[in-house]
């Protein structure tokens, strides 16, 4: 913001920024971070930066931010700003039964139900799935990607794991990853190949 001193003398202005309950709002001269006042000569101007931080619980929407400046001689000015909260998606991936160990036979298909959850305040768009398994193993998903998961909702997907035909009995590591844009979540599992 720009403050103009239209009075005939030099004035020291103090700031009084305010926002909705739970918000942290501050104002200070851009040249002096965290200063609470700015002195402006008669007819001069100064720039002031306003910072508004929304609480974690803020829902999507538009919020009013008001900034007032006052000088001891009674000179004052106010302006109203709008802060727009666009929401943030949160991605988490887990197994439907919360177990991280699975067993199956070599060269036979094992279906693992997975849950994708969005605990954020904006939709998760285009969630893609991928798996990292031992060499020769096949990991696919049904469906391969999910179009959208709304805030507070979950979606189910099935991982289809097929160990290689020559996998010997024992424990193997398997990682399943869900990603949506810059967000990602992994599940590390232990797959026990049973002797046939």
């Amino acid at each position: 913001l720009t403050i103009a001193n239209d009075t005939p003398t030099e004035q020291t202005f103090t700031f009084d920024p305010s926002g909705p309950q739970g918000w942290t709002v501050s104002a200070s001269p851009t040249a002096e971070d965290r200063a609470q006042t700015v002195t402006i000569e008669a007819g001069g101007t100064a720039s002031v930066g306003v910072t508004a931080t929304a609480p974690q619980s803020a829902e999507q929407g538009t919020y009013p931010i008001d900034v007032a400046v006052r000088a001891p001689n009674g000179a004052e000015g106010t302006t109203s700003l709008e802060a727009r909260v666009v929401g943030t998606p949160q991605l988490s991936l887990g197994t439907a039964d919360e177990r991280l160990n699975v067993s199956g036979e070599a060269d036979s298909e094992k279906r693992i139900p997975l849950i994708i959850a969005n605990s954020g305040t904006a939709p998760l768009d285009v969630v893609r799935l991928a798996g990292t398994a031992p060499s020769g193993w096949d990991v696919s998903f049904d469906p391969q990607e999910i179009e959208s998961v709304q805030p507070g909702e979950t979606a189910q997907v099935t991982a289809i794991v097929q160990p290689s035909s020559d996998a010997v009995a024992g424990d193997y590591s398997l990682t399943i990853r869900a990603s949506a844009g810059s967000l990602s979540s992994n599940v590390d599992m232990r797959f026990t190949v049973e002797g046939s």
Side-chain angles (χ1 to χ4, degrees):
L1 303 176
T2 300
I3 299 175
N5 179 4
D6 294 333
T7 70
T9 57
E10 181 180 271
Q11 298 294 330
T12 299
F13 291 91
T14 56
F15 315 116
D16 183 20
S18 63
Q21 186 173 356
W23 284 62
T24 303
V25 183
S26 62
S28 60
T30 51
E32 301 171 53
D33 196 23
R34 302 197 180 175
Q36 300 297 313
T37 62
V38 65
T39 301
I40 307 172
E41 60 192 38
T45 61
S47 293
V48 173
V50 178
T51 304
T53 305
Q56 195 72 36
S57 59
E59 295 183 5
Q60 283 183 276
T62 304
Y63 297 83
I65 304 294
D66 297 314
V67 182
V69 293
R70 292 185 181 83
N73 73 344
E76 64 179 16
T78 60
T79 190
S80 293
L81 306 169
E82 278 187 349
R84 195 161 57 94
V85 175
V86 294
T88 308
Q90 294 288 333
L91 170 65
S92 64
L93 174 69
T95 58
D97 60 6
E98 297 185 6
R99 291 175 50 201
L100 298 176
N101 54 334
V102 186
S103 59
E105 293 179 8
D107 202 27
S108 69
E109 205 174 80
K110 179 71 176 185
R111 299 176 75 85
I112 306 167
L114 301 169
I115 301 291
I116 294 167
N118 178 4
S119 58
T121 55
L124 268 173
D125 293 324
V126 189
V127 182
R128 293 188 171 88
L129 292 134
T132 305
S135 178
W137 290 41
D138 186 48
V139 181
S140 59
F141 300 91
D142 180 24
Q144 193 67 40
E145 69 177 37
I146 294 170
E147 195 68 34
S148 179
V149 182
Q150 295 302 311
E153 293 187 4
T154 61
Q156 187 160 344
V157 64
T158 302
I160 304 161
V161 180
Q162 185 161 353
S164 66
S165 56
D166 58 358
V168 297
D171 292 342
Y172 296 83
S173 293
L174 175 68
T175 299
I176 295 171
R177 183 176 60 261
S179 60
S182 62
L183 300 173
S184 68
S185 180
N186 293 356
V187 171
D188 294 318
M189 305 183 74
R190 190 178 79 221
F191 194 106
T192 303
V193 174
E194 300 168 335
S196 56

